[in-house]
Amino acid sequence: MNQKTQGSTPKIRHALTIKREEDFAQWYQQVISEGEMAEESGVRGCMVIKPWGYGIWERIQKIMDARIKDAGVDNCYFPLFIPLSYFSKEADHVDGFAKEMAVVTHHRLIADGKGGLIPDPEAKLEEPLIVRPTSETVIGAAMARWVQSWRDLPLMVNQWANVVRWEMRTRMFLRTSEFLWQEGHTAHADRDDAMTETLRALEMYRDFAENVLAMPVIAGEKPENERFPGAVATYSIEAMMQDGKALQAGTSHYLGTGFAEAAGIRYQDKEGQQALAHTTSWGVSTRMIGGVIMTHGDDDGLRVPPAIAPHQIIILPMLREDEGDEALLAYCEEIRRALIGQQALGEPVRVLLDKRPGKATQKRWAWVKKGAPIILEIGGRDAAGGMVSVLRRDQIWREDAKTNFVAQSREDFIAAAAATLEDIQRSLHAQATERRDANITRGLTTLAQVAEFFDDKNRYPGWVELNWARPTGAALEKVVEQLKALKLTIRNTAMDAAPAEGTCPFTGEPAVERIYVARSY
Amino acid sequence: MNQKTQGSTPKIRHALTIKREEDFAQWYQQVISEGEMAEESGVRGCMVIKPWGYGIWERIQKIMDARIKDAGVDNCYFPLFIPLSYFSKEADHVDGFAKEMAVVTHHRLIADGKGGLIPDPEAKLEEPLIVRPTSETVIGAAMARWVQSWRDLPLMVNQWANVVRWEMRTRMFLRTSEFLWQEGHTAHADRDDAMTETLRALEMYRDFAENVLAMPVIAGEKPENERFPGAVATYSIEAMMQDGKALQAGTSHYLGTGFAEAAGIRYQDKEGQQALAHTTSWGVSTRMIGGVIMTHGDDDGLRVPPAIAPHQIIILPMLREDEGDEALLAYCEEIRRALIGQQALGEPVRVLLDKRPGKATQKRWAWVKKGAPIILEIGGRDAAGGMVSVLRRDQIWREDAKTNFVAQSREDFIAAAAATLEDIQRSLHAQATERRDANITRGLTTLAQVAEFFDDKNRYPGWVELNWARPTGAALEKVVEQLKALKLTIRNTAMDAAPAEGTCPFTGEPAVERIYVARSY
């Protein structure tokens, strides 16, 4: 955990025992456990989200929720349970994604006569209930009740909730049986209005990812085969992780009138005619936290962008359990008060004065692994001299492999604190963008080139941008199979993509658009 | 919906068709449906919480959450599902309250060959999972992992979550199979520290109920028979509804070392010895919203205390769909901007400019039924003259039975708006406190007097304060049975109760404390 000089070559002693380059998947698990983000719960596929991880989710919720409300969307709450018949009605829908679901069949436990408990056979439900994998169907049913006339449109609701999709292979934050998310559902009078809302949500997610999570993303349309079942068009934001894989970090769907027809969302238009509403849905989840970890984490743990850090500045007094502690704590408290009066990234600065018992160096490394943006270490001598010792989490090592503490007067530190936090936010985004851009390869024109590219032993191959002819139906299926053999998927076509050029590597036809192809989570 | 003069006696035409005095239970349902708070979901015992109802819950969450965090409690998230074995381990616990639970037995659906879906027999879980009725057991298991030494104490966590208790008879907000709540769970080194936390949470709830919900409550200790199963002491806040019944609106439990023993929450103390932690738990739920309705609602619908109103001031432009609308809307927008710059009750004023299509009077009555604290109606003539027409929801009728709109210059209204909101908050609290205090009867000394009192045909009998000897065990059971025969329960002993006097009406022994006895929800 400390820097050490080996002979003449300074060698950094990182806080984690596993390096990203060695084993990215194990590194990811270690960041989560050492950063006290989450842990296994003892319930298959479900995690306990610990205070630091949940604090990050609360920051995400707070900022996203304000943006959702600003768009005129109302929050509601719909039931956890969905009657089985709702799914039977939508068998197509179910075929697409949702057969692996938690099924409630009984409503009572009784003693089994052997000291244990069993589901009471007398309390079997007439109709099983499904724990919601999404609230699409119940919200559709509610919209059908709520929408009567054009005056009721647009109807825009959102829900923050837990959902369950039974997963065989789980990974914390990325794929868990239970996860937390928001799902927006809107109904509109016509296609234009619905499409505008679909793209508004997409842009909200893009901007949020870039400016709040400091995570560069490509916002674009998914290919036909990756559409949400029943959707007319599906859009996503795609982020590149440090292992070069793509992570879909949010989706927005234009659903046409198909869902309105299934749910019966009809309205009387201004001419008195009955018409079907056009609907949309859009969502992001705790998966975003997995994206933040794999975008910003380093070999010392997580680095949390200041905008979503539960605490942005940690003040660590080096307590000695003697009579000097009182003056030291008073000095730290003065600094804390001065800092919470500042604004950074449009909000009051969030500061923690960590007075818990324990060694200061242990506490320092715990905060490094959690990724707090700035750590202030303050000893008795600092307090006497009006100084602080500052560690920026994004500039943690000096060239000589020592930790990069910078001594500053407290006045200088306080005066610059907000700007420093904003600089860390910018710097994390710039680093991630640079890495992303450096790892997108263009100019491949044949499938053989693509195969060769991804066959390279380089562990960080990144994405390939291809021009293609946008085949559909059976022709698209063939493309999907060819890519699948290479463990590749089509991510999306960027909203701001350059015009297509050349011929399609799959069909040989003239290309009509550009797509990103990558390995993915 | 409009006032009307019948002969010489002005008669108010209330917005609801059911009066509180006629049928309180039906009135309650009508407030919820006409106020667009919530509705039946189609799933037994589960409700859809609509934007106005959910907006009130979000206000409750926001303010309560800040108080919980200020107390040093960290938010976490624990899994929705709890393995059956966790309950078998705690059979005593289960006997107390938790046999009616939703049981998940399968993790997949398959087609039944007849166009429907059924739980896949191949996907039966080895161990059924219970949908959490509370997270007590999983949080206990986590605490056992997290607590090692005295340095880890106190450990204080909170969770905002949905929980499920299968209820046979449900009533919206008051008793639903699924409800939303927060559950705080804390572990401490000794009894004193745990009891201090138990009472801190109780006081937090009391203050919140009084000053945020404007709902007067009695904070006190529940009798032995009403303790949470396994608790050493249970405290509650009890509010009087307008039908005189008591509503338990929040609880705080000191659990001693029993739960720590069951879960294995042990720590090494400063002397190096292993010791059991002392734990607490405390919670409030969406039930509070039912309390707000039954405390503040009147025959025109809900009256929402400004502190928890999603919108505090509604601006209703009287649009005529002509060329005058533009100037009218501009005028309304200026007023909105001036208002959102004000602070009331410590936060920026929340204002909605309601531009939706529809008749202004219909919209007015919709907002009256929802209980928005202040409604501004503004017509073209008002705009031209710099005026507004103001309706305070707590002063809605004039003596002549006309709606009590008051014409004011916009400057005067804006200057006084924050103070007006604060006055409404105070006024609702004062009305409820006066009614509560007028409906507590003291001085009854025999069980016969109690029986006679509650036998009265008066529909609003309120509560009775009795002096009693605090019997325990079999003697207490007898008291509970005697009261049950009268449909009565013991609510609590107030923290600030006067000293006991006289003899116990149940046992004839000298009284040792005062209790409240009431019918209850």
Side-chain angles (χ1 to χ4, degrees):
Chain A
M1 308 265 275
N2 288 307
Q3 70 287 354
K4 186 173 154 188
T5 308
Q6 296 190 327
S8 58
T9 316
K11 189 165 180 338
I12 291 170
R13 291 279 297 271
H14 287 292
L16 300 185
T17 60
I18 303 169
K19 310 278 172 288
R20 286 164 289 175
E21 290 207 8
E22 291 164 9
D23 188 334
F24 197 76
Q26 283 299 314
W27 167 84
Y28 177 77
Q29 295 297 341
Q30 198 176 36
V31 173
I32 289 170
S33 60
E34 291 291 311
E36 299 187 83
M37 307 277 291
E39 65 185 24
E40 296 295 343
S41 66
V43 182
R44 220 189 129 289
C46 297
M47 60 182 170
V48 172
I49 309 181
K50 298 175 80 171
W52 188 248
Y54 197 76
I56 292 172
W57 179 242
E58 287 185 308
R59 292 288 313 153
I60 289 174
Q61 277 193 298
K62 182 184 173 183
I63 299 171
M64 185 74 84
D65 191 62
R67 293 180 180 206
I68 290 170
K69 286 193 168 85
D70 280 349
V73 180
D74 287 319
N75 282 345
C76 297
Y77 189 77
F78 293 88
L80 174 67
F81 298 128
I82 300 177
L84 178 58
S85 60
Y86 280 48
F87 289 93
S88 303
K89 274 194 283 186
E90 306 220 0
D92 284 351
H93 197 152
V94 172
D95 280 346
F97 73 98
K99 278 179 178 165
E100 292 291 339
M101 297 185 285
V103 187
V104 178
T105 54
H106 294 73
H107 66 78
R108 191 185 305 135
L109 296 176
I110 53 162
D112 64 0
K114 291 176 276 183
L117 294 165
I118 53 167
D120 183 353
E122 302 285 307
K124 191 171 177 187
L125 296 173
E126 279 185 39
E127 180 183 8
L129 294 172
I130 309 305
V131 179
R132 62 184 164 212
T134 155
S135 296
E136 209 82 43
T137 53
V138 277
I139 293 180
M143 283 183 160
R145 295 193 297 271
W146 299 348
V147 171
Q148 308 292 334
S149 122
W150 62 271
R151 286 183 194 83
D152 303 319
L153 297 176
L155 176 64
M156 304 199 285
V157 300
N158 177 64
Q159 169 174 260
W160 290 95
N162 54 343
V163 289
V164 172
R165 297 175 188 179
W166 207 263
E167 298 283 354
M168 287 302 132
R169 295 181 57 191
T170 61
R171 193 178 291 191
M172 279 196 266
F173 292 113
L174 295 176
R175 182 173 287 106
T176 47
S177 291
E178 181 189 15
F179 58 93
L180 306 180
W181 79 344
Q182 63 68 217
E183 47 181 318
H185 297 269
T186 71
H188 304 263
D190 56 37
R191 182 193 179 285
D192 276 4
D193 202 44
M195 187 56 89
T196 300
E197 171 60 14
T198 306
L199 297 179
R200 181 206 64 76
L202 180 70
E203 170 58 18
M204 172 175 73
Y205 291 155
R206 188 203 62 75
D207 185 80
F208 183 88
E210 300 264 352
N211 294 314
V212 178
L213 306 182
M215 181 171 80
V217 292
I218 305 286
E221 185 175 356
K222 300 291 274 187
E224 181 186 308
N225 63 301
E226 297 273 1
R227 276 182 203 143
F228 181 64
V232 173
T234 286
Y235 301 84
S236 69
I237 54 170
E238 304 278 336
M240 187 190 290
M241 304 294 98
Q242 289 183 64
D243 61 354
K245 288 189 186 172
L247 181 81
Q248 179 176 298
T251 51
S252 183
H253 313 286
Y254 167 57
L255 304 169
T257 56
F259 281 73
E261 191 155 22
I265 312 173
R266 290 188 172 77
Y267 70 97
Q268 194 173 48
D269 67 18
K270 288 186 184 178
E271 285 72 44
Q273 304 296 310
Q274 286 288 309
L276 282 170
H278 292 245
T279 66
T280 85
S281 72
W282 30 272
V284 296
S285 73
T286 33
R287 181 168 233 230
M288 273 191 163
I289 297 176
V292 166
I293 294 170
M294 292 193 290
T295 299
H296 300 302
D298 67 13
D299 293 341
D300 299 297
L302 182 56
R303 302 186 302 175
V304 187
I308 57 167
H311 310 300
Q312 297 168 316
I313 302 177
I314 308 295
I315 304 177
L316 276 182
M318 302 178 77
L319 299 169
R320 305 175 68 151
E321 300 191 10
D322 63 20
E323 68 286 352
D325 283 358
E326 199 176 326
L328 174 56
L329 282 171
Y331 179 77
C332 291
E333 178 58 24
E334 278 169 30
I335 295 173
R336 191 187 71 85
R337 291 230 179 108
L339 288 170
I340 60 176
Q342 314 264 321
Q343 294 265 325
L345 298 156
E347 290 183 83
V349 170
R350 297 182 292 282
V351 185
L352 178 74
L353 170 49
D354 182 354
K355 293 187 268 193
R356 288 172 308 166
K359 283 193 184 164
T361 49
Q362 273 181 357
K363 288 163 69 179
R364 175 211 303 165
W365 288 106
W367 285 114
V368 165
K369 289 185 282 186
K370 284 188 157 80
I374 297 175
I375 298 168
L376 286 191
E377 260 181 29
I378 305 180
R381 200 175 296 176
D382 296 315
M387 301 293 286
V388 296
S389 193
V390 184
L391 186 63
R392 266 179 72 146
R393 179 62 183 86
D394 65 331
Q395 299 176 357
I396 193 175
W397 300 110
R398 295 192 338 211
E399 285 194 8
D400 63 1
K402 291 188 165 46
T403 45
N404 191 20
F405 274 104
V406 176
Q408 276 187 293
S409 76
R410 81 168 150 177
E411 287 73 22
D412 285 354
F413 173 74
I414 291 166
T420 305
L421 288 169
E422 288 168 3
D423 189 58
I424 295 172
Q425 181 81 20
R426 253 193 314 275
S427 150
L428 290 177
H429 184 257
Q431 282 178 39
T433 307
E434 193 181 336
R435 188 177 51 235
R436 193 263 318 262
D437 291 346
N439 284 289
I440 294 179
T441 298
R442 295 182 173 80
L444 306 188
T445 56
T446 68
L447 189 59
Q449 285 176 337
V450 173
E452 188 186 14
F453 177 85
F454 282 102
D455 201 31
D456 196 312
K457 292 301 174 206
N458 179 356
R459 296 178 57 85
Y460 302 91
W463 304 354
V464 163
E465 188 195 77
L466 295 178
N467 289 272
W468 81 333
R470 198 178 189 169
T472 59
L476 175 58
E477 270 171 44
K478 191 181 157 199
V479 172
V480 170
E481 285 306 313
Q482 287 173 315
L483 290 173
K484 194 175 174 187
L486 301 170
K487 296 182 185 167
L488 296 173
T489 54
I490 303 168
R491 306 315 302 162
N492 66 18
T493 296
M495 302 307 282
D496 59 358
E501 49 188 42
T503 55
C504 176
F506 305 106
T507 68
E509 296 169 304
V512 301
E513 68 181 10
R514 292 167 190 252
I515 52 173
Y516 290 103
V517 167
R519 291 184 183 165
S520 68
Y521 282 94
Chain B
M1 310 262 273
N2 287 308
Q3 70 289 356
K4 188 174 153 189
T5 308
Q6 294 189 329
S8 59
T9 315
K11 190 165 177 344
I12 290 171
R13 292 278 297 272
H14 286 292
L16 300 184
T17 59
I18 303 168
K19 310 278 174 287
R20 286 164 289 175
E21 289 207 10
E22 291 164 8
D23 188 334
F24 197 77
Q26 284 298 312
W27 167 84
Y28 177 77
Q29 294 297 339
Q30 198 176 36
V31 173
I32 289 171
S33 61
E34 292 291 311
E36 300 187 83
M37 306 275 291
E39 65 185 24
E40 296 293 344
S41 67
V43 181
R44 219 190 131 288
C46 297
M47 60 182 172
V48 173
I49 309 181
K50 299 174 79 170
W52 189 248
Y54 197 75
I56 291 172
W57 179 241
E58 286 185 308
R59 292 289 311 154
I60 288 174
Q61 276 193 300
K62 184 184 170 180
I63 299 171
M64 186 73 83
D65 191 62
R67 294 180 180 206
I68 290 170
K69 287 193 168 84
D70 281 349
V73 181
D74 286 321
N75 282 344
C76 297
Y77 188 77
F78 293 87
L80 174 65
F81 299 128
I82 299 177
L84 179 57
S85 59
Y86 280 47
F87 290 93
S88 303
K89 272 193 283 183
E90 304 219 357
D92 285 350
H93 197 151
V94 171
D95 281 345
F97 73 98
K99 278 180 179 163
E100 293 289 339
M101 298 186 284
V103 187
V104 177
T105 55
H106 294 73
H107 66 79
R108 190 186 305 136
L109 296 175
I110 53 163
D112 63 0
K114 292 175 274 184
L117 294 166
I118 52 167
D120 184 351
E122 303 285 309
K124 191 169 176 188
L125 296 173
E126 278 184 40
E127 180 183 8
L129 294 173
I130 309 305
V131 181
R132 60 182 165 214
T134 156
S135 297
E136 208 83 43
T137 53
V138 277
I139 294 180
M143 283 183 161
R145 294 193 297 272
W146 300 349
V147 171
Q148 307 293 333
S149 120
W150 63 271
R151 288 184 192 81
D152 302 319
L153 298 175
L155 177 65
M156 304 199 286
V157 300
N158 177 64
Q159 170 174 260
W160 290 95
N162 53 344
V163 289
V164 172
R165 297 174 189 182
W166 207 264
E167 297 284 354
M168 287 301 133
R169 297 180 57 192
T170 61
R171 192 179 288 190
M172 278 195 268
F173 292 113
L174 295 176
R175 182 174 286 107
T176 48
S177 290
E178 181 191 15
F179 58 92
L180 307 180
W181 78 343
Q182 63 67 216
E183 48 182 316
H185 298 268
T186 70
H188 305 262
D190 56 36
R191 183 192 178 285
D192 276 4
D193 203 43
M195 186 57 88
T196 300
E197 172 59 15
T198 306
L199 298 179
R200 182 206 64 77
L202 179 70
E203 170 59 17
M204 173 176 73
Y205 292 156
R206 188 203 62 76
D207 186 81
F208 183 88
E210 301 265 351
N211 294 314
V212 178
L213 307 181
M215 182 169 81
V217 291
I218 304 286
E221 185 176 357
K222 302 291 275 186
E224 180 187 307
N225 63 301
E226 298 273 359
R227 277 183 203 141
F228 180 65
V232 173
T234 286
Y235 301 84
S236 70
I237 53 170
E238 304 278 335
M240 187 190 289
M241 304 293 99
Q242 288 184 65
D243 61 355
K245 288 189 186 170
L247 181 80
Q248 178 177 298
T251 49
S252 184
H253 313 285
Y254 167 59
L255 304 169
T257 56
F259 281 72
E261 190 155 21
I265 311 173
R266 289 187 171 77
Y267 70 98
Q268 193 173 49
D269 66 19
K270 290 186 183 177
E271 286 72 44
Q273 302 297 310
Q274 286 287 308
L276 283 170
H278 292 245
T279 66
T280 84
S281 71
W282 30 270
V284 297
S285 73
T286 33
R287 181 166 233 229
M288 272 192 163
I289 297 176
V292 166
I293 295 170
M294 294 193 290
T295 299
H296 299 303
D298 66 14
D299 293 341
D300 299 297
L302 182 56
R303 301 186 302 174
V304 186
I308 57 166
H311 310 300
Q312 297 168 315
I313 302 177
I314 308 295
I315 304 177
L316 276 182
M318 302 179 78
L319 299 169
R320 306 174 66 150
E321 299 191 11
D322 64 18
E323 68 287 351
D325 283 357
E326 201 176 323
L328 174 56
L329 283 171
Y331 178 77
C332 290
E333 178 58 23
E334 279 169 30
I335 294 173
R336 190 187 72 85
R337 291 229 181 108
L339 288 171
I340 60 175
Q342 314 265 322
Q343 294 264 326
L345 298 156
E347 290 183 83
V349 171
R350 296 181 294 280
V351 186
L352 179 74
L353 171 49
D354 182 356
K355 294 189 268 194
R356 288 172 308 164
K359 284 191 183 163
T361 49
Q362 273 180 358
K363 288 164 66 179
R364 175 211 303 165
W365 287 106
W367 285 114
V368 164
K369 288 185 283 187
K370 283 188 158 79
I374 297 175
I375 299 168
L376 285 191
E377 260 180 31
I378 305 180
R381 201 175 295 176
D382 296 315
M387 301 293 287
V388 295
S389 194
V390 184
L391 185 65
R392 265 179 74 144
R393 180 61 184 84
D394 65 330
Q395 300 175 357
I396 194 175
W397 301 109
R398 297 195 332 214
E399 283 194 8
D400 63 1
K402 289 188 168 40
T403 46
N404 190 20
F405 275 106
V406 176
Q408 276 188 291
S409 77
R410 80 168 151 176
E411 287 75 19
D412 285 354
F413 173 75
I414 292 165
T420 305
L421 288 169
E422 289 168 2
D423 189 58
I424 294 172
Q425 182 81 21
R426 253 192 314 273
S427 150
L428 290 176
H429 184 257
Q431 282 177 39
T433 306
E434 192 181 338
R435 187 177 51 237
R436 193 265 316 261
D437 291 346
N439 284 287
I440 294 179
T441 298
R442 295 183 173 80
L444 306 188
T445 56
T446 68
L447 189 59
Q449 286 175 337
V450 173
E452 187 186 15
F453 177 85
F454 282 103
D455 200 33
D456 196 312
K457 291 301 175 206
N458 178 357
R459 294 179 59 86
Y460 302 93
W463 304 353
V464 164
E465 189 196 76
L466 295 178
N467 288 273
W468 81 333
R470 199 178 188 169
T472 60
L476 175 58
E477 270 172 45
K478 192 180 157 200
V479 172
V480 170
E481 285 306 312
Q482 287 172 315
L483 290 173
K484 195 176 175 188
L486 301 170
K487 296 181 183 168
L488 296 173
T489 53
I490 302 168
R491 307 314 304 162
N492 67 18
T493 297
M495 301 307 283
D496 58 357
E501 48 188 43
T503 55
C504 176
F506 306 106
T507 67
E509 296 168 304
V512 300
E513 67 181 10
R514 293 166 189 253
I515 54 174
Y516 291 104
V517 166
R519 291 186 182 164
S520 69
Y521 282 94

